[in-house]
Amino acid sequence: MYRYDQYDQQIVDERVAQYRDQTQRFLAGDISEEEFLPLRLQNGLYVQRLAPMLRIAVPYGLLSSNQLRKLAHISRKYDKGYVHFTTRQNIQLNWPQLEEVPDILAELASVEMHAIQTSGNCIRNTTTDQYAGVAIDEIEDPRPWCEIIRQWSTLHPEFAFLPRKFKIAVCGSEQDRAAFLLHDIGIQLVTNDQGETGFQVFVGGGLGRTPVIASLIRDFLPKQHLLTYLDAILRIYNRYGNRDNKYKARIKILVKAWTPEVFAERVEAEWAHLKGGPATLTEQEIDRVKGFFTLPDYQAVDNDSASTELQRLASDNKAFSRWLDRNTKPQKQAGYRSVSLSLKPAGVAPGDVTDRQLEVIADLADQFSFGELRSTHNQNIVLTDVLVTELYELWTAAKAAGLATPNIGTINDMICCPGGDYCSLANAKSIPVAEAIQRKFDDLDYVYDLGDLELNISGCMNACGHHHIGHIGILGVDKKGEEWYQIQIGGSASKNAALAKVLGPSLSRDAVTDSIEKLLDVYVENRQEEETFLATYQRIGIDKFKERVYGATA
Amino acid sequence: MAQLLKDTQIIDDQWIRVPADAEVFPAGDILVHYNDWQTHQDELNQHQGAVGVWFDGNEEIEAFAESLVSLPLIAINFPKFVDGRGFSAARLLRERYGFKGELRAVGQIIRDQLFLLQRCGFNAFQFEDNIDLDQAVKSLTDFSDSYQVAVDQPQPLFKRR
Ligand code: HEM
Ligand code: SF4
């Protein structure tokens, strides 16, 4: 993984010093609330319903075991002994003290971490595929490009006060696992006929109140031009994005208003001035950054005997076999698999982990995955590069720590925002809905039979829980001061991204799980062969689902 | 006389900023709104004293930037400190139009923006509020280096590390 040199370290250290001084001046009354707001946001600090919330950046989801131990320590010393993994691969502390945030940031800096630009109207953490470097369908490892973008975006002098937040995701594979078409900029790595690396550039995706799938504005951007082209997009957005109405301030609104064609022309015109300028990437820099993402020392494994042995263990042990099935995935290196540690056992807020679990995960990473791990946009943890011969041992250890719930990709692996339990913007609670669903669908054979199913829950239309792109989406709404829920179906975050459609009038919390069950019944009755819920919906349409939930006349 | 930061020094402001839509101009060195500068060209050409121009950061500066490059002073106004358009306008003036005179940030800027403002090409800073400039000047050097190309450092860090 990327390691800081003296420059990176100095920038992060000086950022801590700057924010410490700002916090002191704020507490002394020398900075007003209004002026302090963007300063604290750009250092990750929100003020929430119950307490401040600190969002820590996990650049493109990559963490070392050491960093995880530091996070465990921080959560114990400054918080309540747990952290929350977000849908943008970051980590949140729910109960830090404003006064102590500079100390937390200093602790983070000591392990090459920070909270720079994790909120506020600026360029946020760049996200990517949790299987970067090992994915079978990979075109090129996206992480060096994410790191190059991280450095370019960190304290960018021109773009610290954008009209609204700005999120970039990079997809390096055939299949998308980063929801990159739902980002302000989505970058797809491609190779041209000459075998050269470049990028397809999409802009104007996003969720929130107005969900939009990004539009392609450049089919092939040669790799050395990445940063000048990004500068051009951001400059156009910074200058022309709407600043009067925050609900119309995201780049997606500008792209829609101008049309993607016109937007693309404006970017090209701006880029003509920047193209080939000093920010043009050099081979040397690209190689320098790529040098940090080398492959670990894989052992040669006798794949056949290893899989025979695995099959033997699996046939003896149903629980292991289920976990193997759902929570592990082949990777391009023979003899190794990637393992998902589920952060969604029933009864725990999706994405929450305790300090002790963080330490266990750090130990597991050291023992089984070369000391590295990844956070995922589905709010789980992935250990890559696990020898197949060590899977059983890893499973045993993960299970003991409550990290081996075999539900990855199932209905119980839901994405869920903090909702009304924590968030002051919420219309309704979301965590109890997630829990009710997990409790209702606790029959594993049934859940496995349902197959891959993405269920996403947001407590309000800000859509932090990605309800628009769930195969089933649940949205908290306010109905005369009461908490109600709207159900949507048919969304998808894949390359064929689709936005879910509203099923019908909103429901009370009691009715949610039963209605989900009805949707699943319709699916099971109508599916053909191996069809997923989404595929069945796409084939038969919304009506049958609607009728089952609301009755024929609704 | 009002004070401001210029090239890291605290100095007395010798310029008089004239609000927009002016009909008459005071004597001395004056900073006039771009529209007034346009409408009163002849009169301002006769002006005893220096003339500078100010405008809001959201202006479509491509329309007029070239006509301003020989002025001694251009000021970009920040109607709100969170309105980042002035950062782009400053870079364009410096990098695309080659403006070499004093580039002043005025309006609702805050001390904690100084480092970024100077990176974008501002070399003078005038605060609306009466803040302690001796303290504020420290924020100009919050960081000793940066990743990106900007006016203060035309080579990216990756070519220098
Ligand atoms: C608890 C405090 C939180 C607050 C107050 C909050 C607030 C918001 C708001 C206002 C938006 C809409 C922004 C817009 O449309 O411009 C938003 C979007 C979003 N939030 Fe949160 N959020 C919170 C927590 C989270 C968490 C924990 C996650 C991850 C699980 C998250 C992930 C997202 C994502 C992915 C979006 C959508 C971005 C997009 O529109 O493209 N948020 N949030
Ligand atoms: S979706 Fe709404 S309720 Fe949920 S975290 Fe975001 S702002 Fe809060």
Side-chain angles (χ1 to χ4, degrees), chain B residues 37-87:
Chain B
W37 185 73
Q38 277 253 302
T39 359
H40 302 276
Q41 283 265 329
D42 293 343
E43 188 185 338
L44 288 168
N45 280 339
Q46 309 297 318
H47 184 75
Q48 302 288 316
V51 178
V53 160
W54 72 273
F55 49 83
D56 286 353
N58 64 351
E59 290 288 345
E60 191 77 16
I61 66 162
E62 285 85 341
F64 58 75
E66 266 164 19
S67 63
L68 304 183
V69 284
S70 54
L71 292 179
L73 168 67
I74 297 177
I76 297 178
N77 182 50
F78 288 75
K80 292 189 189 132
F81 79 101
V82 291
D83 184 339
R85 290 177 283 198
F87 291 83

Side-chain angles (χ1 to χ4, degrees), chain A residues 257-270:
Chain A
W258 282 3
T259 74
E261 294 70 32
V262 170
F263 187 87
E265 283 165 21
R266 296 293 298 259
V267 169
E268 292 287 325
E270 179 60 38

Side-chain angles (χ1 to χ4, degrees), chain A residues 46 48 53 55 84-88 92 94 164-165 167 182-184 205-209 246 250 252 379 415-419 422-425 461-466:
Chain A
Y46 266 93
Q48 273 313 298
M53 178 274 276
R55 187 178 293 147
H84 176 75
F85 280 87
T86 80
T87 48
R88 295 200 75 258
Q92 285 180 188
N94 281 324
R164 201 74 179 82
K165 60 178 162 183
K167 304 178 181 185
L182 295 145
H183 281 73
D184 297 282
L207 298 166
R209 285 162 196 254
K246 83 176 213 181
R250 295 286 294 271
K252 60 193 172 190
Q379 304 179 279
I415 292 176
C416 178
C417 81
Y422 296 101
C423 176
S424 46
L425 306 176
M461 62 290 199
N462 286 317
C464 303
H466 292 190

Side-chain angles (χ1 to χ4, degrees), chain A residues 159-225:
Chain A
F159 306 131
F161 297 91
L162 295 170
R164 201 74 179 82
K165 60 178 162 183
F166 203 90
K167 304 178 181 185
I168 302 176
V170 183
C171 175
S173 45
E174 299 291 343
Q175 294 234 338
D176 166 41
R177 286 171 290 267
F180 82 109
L181 291 176
L182 295 145
H183 281 73
D184 297 282
I185 296 180
I187 296 173
Q188 170 70 53
L189 270 155
V190 288
T191 40
N192 67 6
D193 298 343
Q194 284 83 53
E196 296 156 341
T197 301
F199 312 98
Q200 275 183 332
V201 184
F202 295 79
V203 295
L207 298 166
R209 285 162 196 254
T210 321
V212 184
I213 294 164
S215 308
L216 183 67
I217 59 162
R218 201 166 217 287
D219 207 32
F220 189 81
L221 179 71
K223 62 183 176 188
Q224 68 272 24
H225 297 306

